[in-house]
Amino acid sequence: ALVDRYIFSLMARARVRGLSAEWVENLFGFALIPDLVVYLDVDIEHLVPRVLNTTGFDYWESGQDYLPIPNVYENFVEHQTRMLGEFRRLAVEHAFRTVDARRPVPEVFAALCEMVEPVLQAMASADYAPGLREPHAFFAPHQSSQDPAGPQPDPRAPLRGVRSDRKRGTQRLAHGERPALDRALARHEARDPE
């Protein structure tokens, strides 16, 4: 299956809300191991205009459930800054392949194709056998092949999984409604005119 997001989104959300990384990793230790995880890395300056041009500021994606900031824009920036940091930590911990999502869409698409195609080709081969790795092994501490229990799966190996989509309630801010938002949009438009 080719999916958008997986347990890592849930893990990042839980960790920024104060749950311990160890507890969260144990909670999701049941998860199937994907063949590849690709992280599309972006910065706040590029993220804000994209969100405003699509879904607007969502209650959950703005961290309004746990952040005390009354300003939706500032809440969004704070929460997404925390989320980006958490995803970057997860990318290192779990050896995600990373794509710079600030680049133009055709370049991001080409990078994704380059990463995904070999995995799809391997899946099409006759000797492909999904699910041979134990799911919990991805989150277990790495043990050497000299371990009495025998060789252990590499915890940095990529994962396999699924995602279900959900409808989101959004809050849109009109251009001119928030000065900080207007400044962010102006900076983005000055750098990347479309």
Side-chain angles (χ1 to χ4, degrees):
L2 181 61
V3 298
D4 173 20
R5 303 187 190 190
Y6 186 46
I7 59 168
F8 299 109
S9 293
L10 300 172
M11 292 169 67
R13 289 181 181 125
R15 287 165 66 162
V16 300
R17 285 171 171 83
L19 295 175
S20 81
E22 182 181 359
W23 187 87
V24 170
E25 297 236 352
N26 285 332
L27 176 66
F28 292 106
F30 69 89
L32 297 176
I33 300 170
D35 294 295
L36 174 69
V37 176
V38 180
Y39 171 53
L40 301 179
D41 192 17
V42 70
D43 54 30
I44 289 294
E45 290 77 22
H46 286 82
L47 181 61
V48 168
R50 290 179 187 181
V51 170
L52 288 175
N53 289 323
T54 57
T55 62
F57 292 134
D58 173 291
Y59 177 84
W60 299 106
E61 297 296 334
S62 297
Q64 291 178 285
D65 60 310
Y66 77 101
L67 290 174
I69 306 167
N71 179 307
V72 177
Y73 170 77
E74 290 174 14
N75 234 30
F76 178 85
V77 169
E78 177 61 28
H79 175 68
Q80 290 301 321
T81 299
R82 292 179 186 191
M83 288 292 291
L84 291 171
E86 200 57 52
F87 275 119
R88 289 171 182 146
R89 276 188 286 283
L90 286 166
V92 170
E93 291 171 15
H94 297 287
F96 297 174
R97 301 280 308 273
T98 301
V99 173
D100 181 355
R102 297 172 301 172
R103 300 183 329 196
V105 171
E107 290 179 28
V108 172
F109 179 74
L112 286 170
C113 289
E114 187 178 309
M115 291 178 189
V116 172
E117 194 162 324
V119 175
L120 295 176
Q121 288 174 353
M123 294 172 98
S125 74
D127 61 342
Y128 177 74
L132 291 181
R133 295 175 282 178
E134 289 295 319
H136 200 74
F138 183 80
F139 298 103
H142 182 62
Q143 297 173 332
S144 76
S145 59
Q146 304 301 318
D147 189 83
Q152 300 296 312
D154 185 342
R156 295 162 297 203
L159 300 177
R160 174 182 1 278
V162 296
R163 172 194 182 241
S164 64
D165 221 343
R166 64 179 168 84
K167 298 275 184 191
R168 296 182 182 180
T170 62
Q171 292 181 328
R172 292 196 175 270
L173 294 179
H175 216 352
E177 189 173 337
R178 300 271 192 255
L181 174 60
D182 293 340
R183 287 191 302 274
L185 288 171
R187 282 194 307 272
H188 175 74
E189 291 169 355
R191 276 196 314 245
D192 190 22
E194 294 184 339

